[in-house]
Amino acid sequence: MPNSGSESAPAFDLNVGAGEPLLEVVDLHVEFRTREGIARAVNGVSYSVKPGETLAVLGESGSGKSVTAQAIMGILDTPPGYITKGEVRFCGQDVLTLPEEDRRKLRGASMAMIFQDALSSLNPVFSVGWQIGEMFRVHEGMSRKEAKLKAIELLDRVRIPSAKDRVGDYPHQFSGGMRQRVMIAMAIALNPRLLIADEPTTALDVTVQAQVMDLLAELQRESGMGMILITHDLGVVADVADICAVMYAGRIVEHADVHELYANPAHPYTKALLGSIPRLDLKGQEVAVIKGLPPTLTNLPTGCAFHPRCSYVKDRCRSEEPPLYSVNEHRDSACHYWEEVLDGSPE
Ligand code: SF4
């Protein structure tokens, strides 16, 4: 298994049984203590990812999707961010209870993350080959020469043309799409079991977006790694994800198989998000916008946090927070009226 024999592997078993989750986030709560008050960024999020599976986490900015990922990776800025409750089980081990040294070993080697902005994530004063090679020098104790050869191999694997000639180039000498490939090369260098991709294609044009997503899917097929894809781009999700978690105001409001969710959403927010995608087959028709703004996390609305923007709202929604109702075996919705939403009324 990848990493299990590495010197830098953490002191717990990284194998998971067939059908067992690689990652389980259980009732996670994260808050930011700010001058304006306590911002409740993540409020009881639970989800899981199996080996080879892709979970897409969707939602507007500020919905808590990236903060949840930072908490999983152990890169939350503390202060002001604090995990106040919950567990993050990786291969069965709650990593929140591990010493920082063990978490550092997990990062990069077993769990890796790629970010939206490759230019600011790469160091401008070191060549890309040096930066990729560092993963092998630090985690696996390789010599500079060995690490450089590994860097060339990886640049080749993420399809950087003439990898051997480009290994000494600096980040600014690459296009946006190529820089994102360099980031992916760094992320997959040590064969992580889990890859978190936070808006990996947002800064790229549509053709390059498709190439990067294809590359991630191919790498995933080869290695069987689990992937969390954080995005607000529903087009990307439909192509690559197995399961979707839709987040709003720090909670999961719908969790479903991607095909079921696209075919018939069971939460008004998911329905509104899907309705806001421009469609070529409905030329001339206005694209729907979700009325209002996401709530302020220091002052969440009472009851259902989506109620000020919801076209299905009833009195009960203003006072009673909906639990995550089970719609079927593979699907949950945090809406008191999910049956009406599935029926299509009242819109
Ligand atoms: Fe809308 Fe009420 Fe459902 Fe919330 S609980 S999404 S306000 S219908």
Side-chain angles (χ1 to χ4, degrees):
M1 292 303 287
N3 302 317
S4 52
S6 146
E7 282 177 28
S8 58
F12 64 91
D13 187 0
L14 289 175
N15 293 312
V16 290
E20 294 288 313
L22 186 60
L23 176 82
E24 271 180 294
V25 177
V26 185
D27 197 25
L28 189 71
H29 288 69
V30 180
E31 63 184 36
F32 287 87
R33 297 171 191 165
T34 70
R35 278 196 204 143
E36 291 72 39
I38 292 179
R40 301 193 192 286
V42 179
N43 301 302
V45 163
S46 299
Y47 56 59
S48 64
V49 184
K50 290 181 186 156
E53 190 172 67
T54 298
L55 167 76
V57 184
L58 288 164
E60 292 163 291
S61 303
S63 58
K65 49 195 198 310
S66 294
V67 174
T68 306
Q70 287 162 13
I72 294 169
M73 289 295 292
I75 55 169
L76 194 67
D77 277 334
T78 304
Y82 294 88
I83 297 170
T84 55
K85 196 178 167 196
E87 290 179 18
V88 174
R89 293 188 206 132
F90 182 64
C91 304
Q93 164 75 45
D94 181 7
V95 296
L96 299 182
T97 63
L98 292 176
E100 179 46 33
E101 175 64 9
D102 286 353
R103 295 215 70 188
R104 196 187 56 72
K105 285 179 187 169
L106 274 180
R107 276 194 296 276
S110 303
M111 296 178 169
M113 189 160 173
I114 50 177
F115 300 90
Q116 180 186 140
D117 185 0
L119 191 56
S120 61
S121 304
L122 291 167
N123 191 326
V125 300
F126 291 105
S127 71
V128 298
W130 177 267
Q131 293 181 64
I132 298 170
E134 191 176 24
M135 305 290 296
F136 296 103
R137 293 192 301 274
V138 170
H139 284 272
E140 302 202 339
M142 282 188 188
S143 68
R144 286 169 66 163
K145 197 174 167 193
E146 286 169 329
K148 186 179 172 186
L149 288 174
K150 278 283 191 187
I152 294 169
E153 197 182 301
L154 274 162
L155 288 176
D156 207 32
R157 194 164 163 213
V158 297
R159 312 242 175 69
I160 302 269
S162 316
K164 207 170 165 188
D165 301 329
R166 302 223 58 190
V167 71
D169 286 353
Y170 292 83
H172 72 272
Q173 294 173 285
F174 289 83
S175 67
M178 288 294 157
R179 275 196 296 267
Q180 196 57 293
R181 283 166 191 261
V182 172
M183 283 294 296
I184 294 171
M186 285 175 73
I188 62 163
L190 302 174
N191 287 324
R193 308 291 312 279
L194 178 74
L195 178 68
I196 303 181
D198 190 355
E199 305 276 7
T201 59
T202 304
L204 308 174
D205 68 48
V206 178
T207 324
V208 183
Q209 272 183 16
Q211 290 168 359
V212 169
M213 288 316 302
D214 285 349
L215 174 65
L216 283 172
E218 189 186 314
L219 295 169
Q220 194 182 19
R221 273 195 303 276
E222 283 171 10
S223 67
M225 69 185 173
M227 183 156 80
I228 298 177
L229 174 66
I230 299 170
T231 184
H232 60 263
D233 186 337
L234 287 110
V236 166
V237 171
D239 289 338
V240 298
D242 301 300
I243 298 169
C244 276
V246 181
M247 287 190 69
Y248 188 80
R251 291 188 71 201
I252 290 180
V253 294
E254 183 163 2
H255 183 267
D257 167 271
V258 71
H259 300 294
E260 271 193 61
L261 182 128
Y262 272 68
N264 200 5
H267 192 281
Y269 178 59
T270 317
K271 193 166 186 162
L273 277 181
L274 290 171
S276 63
I277 307 176
R279 287 177 51 181
L280 286 172
D281 58 330
L282 298 177
K283 231 174 163 185
Q285 192 162 316
E286 267 184 44
V287 175
V289 287
I290 308 174
K291 65 177 184 184
L293 293 171
T296 312
L297 296 173
T298 48
N299 188 20
L300 289 173
T302 55
C304 173
F306 189 57
H307 85 249
R309 307 172 76 186
C310 183
S311 51
Y312 289 78
V313 63
K314 297 184 185 12
D315 281 349
R316 179 187 180 194
C317 307
R318 297 187 178 89
S319 58
E320 204 183 311
E321 186 177 37
L324 209 50
Y325 295 102
S326 173
V327 173
N328 63 35
E329 206 187 331
H330 310 290
R331 190 168 195 189
D332 306 297
S333 167
C335 174
H336 295 306
Y337 301 104
W338 61 266
E339 281 157 312
E340 268 184 42
V341 183
L342 278 180
D343 280 350
S345 56
E347 287 176 321

